[in-house]
Amino acid sequence: QRKHQEIRAMRSQLKKIEDLGAAMEEALILDNKYTEHSTVGLAQQWDQLDQLGMRMQHNLEQQIQARNTTGVTEEALKEFSMMFKHFDKDKSGRLNHQEFKSCLRSLGYDLPMVEEGEPDPEFESILDTVDPNRDGHVSLQEYMAFMISRETENVKSSEEIESAFRALSSEGKPYVTKEELYQNLTREQADYCISHMKPYMDGKGRELPAAYDYIEFTRSLFVN
């Protein structure tokens, strides 16, 4: 915001240049050997810089809001942004469809390889979300909104996650065992659950061996 305000404040300097340029034109001085810049060129560059400042500020505000309201970590947002910039070779602030597809693959999306001209329904369904009018490009704003929605689309409520754990647990018990976690989740996921879940205590306050309290764990995820 401070940088954008500095840019806005420089508009008065540009006005001085425009007034001097107009005076030179009145005096029929059309070539200036002291500079390669023109009044029109400087005005265009200032406009572009001002627009860039507004876009960046808007994108940052969106990212801050996303972090605060969706639970997407700052590290994940940085990774999304860095990947976009990596594939935005011409620094235009948008990706064509091929660059966007490469970007998604780099982020772990398992998109099938298809020959040019062949149908690609999986990728087309993604484009229906980020580029519904098919203008051929995906802006940073559209891309970030898509990535954030994908990060959070499966996390609807603590009740849904509780139900998922209950399905892992035989007979729908209020706890899940170490064995059940490793049977149904990836090793990394099971390790995470075991390191973050509290041991399950029965009604008499006794700790059950190798049993974990998924209800307390799930609800703790949704605090605040």
Side-chain angles (χ1 to χ4, degrees), residues 103-125:
C103 183
L104 291 179
R105 285 202 177 107
S106 297
L107 287 164
Y109 279 71
D110 186 20
L111 293 170
M113 301 294 289
V114 297
E115 295 294 328
E116 191 172 347
E118 284 188 9
D120 191 354
E122 197 170 331
F123 185 57
E124 287 294 324
S125 70

Side-chain angles (χ1 to χ4, degrees), residues 181-182 184-196:
L181 288 169
Y182 280 109
N184 293 284
L185 303 177
T186 67
R187 182 166 196 84
E188 184 181 2
Q189 289 168 339
D191 286 343
Y192 178 86
C193 288
I194 287 168
S195 65
H196 288 77

Side-chain angles (χ1 to χ4, degrees), residues 52-65:
L52 177 64
M54 285 193 292
R55 280 204 310 274
M56 290 184 73
Q57 191 170 317
H58 179 68
N59 286 336
L60 285 167
E61 285 168 355
Q62 273 203 324
Q63 290 181 46
I64 290 167
Q65 184 181 14

Side-chain angles (χ1 to χ4, degrees), residues 192-205:
Y192 178 86
C193 288
I194 287 168
S195 65
H196 288 77
M197 284 181 177
K198 292 180 180 178
Y200 179 77
M201 313 290 282
D202 67 13
K204 296 180 180 177

